[in-house]
């Protein structure tokens, strides 16, 4: 029978410092936006201004995550617009349905 060679070598490549630094910067930006949300939640009274601010900051975080981690930032503009335009219409639809529902609720009760 043949002999087995039990020696193996594993090549270790050093970590790419620029990629690690970029991930830390992204984490820092998302942490800052989250800290701003937390600060506003403790300072501002509950109401439309606070809700609009939360929605806007959440969209900013979502856009940044999609742009960085899904690599959408480097894509062609047509693809970006084909994703963003339906999102805008869905947000508009939600706002319109909430307003219409509130109007109907006020008329009935």
């Amino acid at each position: 029978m043949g002999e087995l060679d039990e020696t193996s070598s594993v090549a270790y490549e050093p970590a790419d410092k620029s990629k690690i630094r970029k991930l830390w910067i992204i984490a820092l930006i998302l942490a800052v936006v989250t800290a701003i949300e937390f600060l506003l939640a403790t300072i501002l009274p509950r109401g439309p201004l606070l809700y609009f601010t939360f929605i806007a900051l959440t969209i900013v975080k979502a856009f940044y995550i999609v742009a960085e981690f899904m690599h959408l930032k480097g894509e062609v503009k047509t693809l970006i617009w084909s994703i963003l335009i339906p999102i805008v219409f869905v947000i508009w639809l939600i706002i319109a349905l909430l307003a219409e529902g509130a109007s109907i609720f006020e008329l009935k009760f």
Side-chain angles (χ1 to χ4, degrees), residues 6-45:
E6 295 201 17
T7 61
S8 64
S9 62
V10 175
Y12 174 74
E13 295 182 23
D16 189 1
K17 301 281 187 192
S18 65
K19 288 182 182 178
I20 293 174
R21 185 172 189 276
K22 186 176 180 181
L23 286 174
W24 277 109
I25 290 172
I26 293 168
L28 180 67
I29 290 170
L30 293 174
V32 166
V33 173
T34 303
I36 291 170
E37 285 178 339
F38 182 77
L39 183 67
L40 291 176
T42 58
I43 293 174
L44 291 177

Side-chain angles (χ1 to χ4, degrees), residues 80-97:
I80 294 171
W81 285 112
S82 69
I83 293 172
L84 288 179
I85 289 174
I87 290 173
V88 169
F89 283 127
V90 167
I91 292 170
W92 172 79
L93 175 67
I94 290 171
I95 292 170
L97 289 174

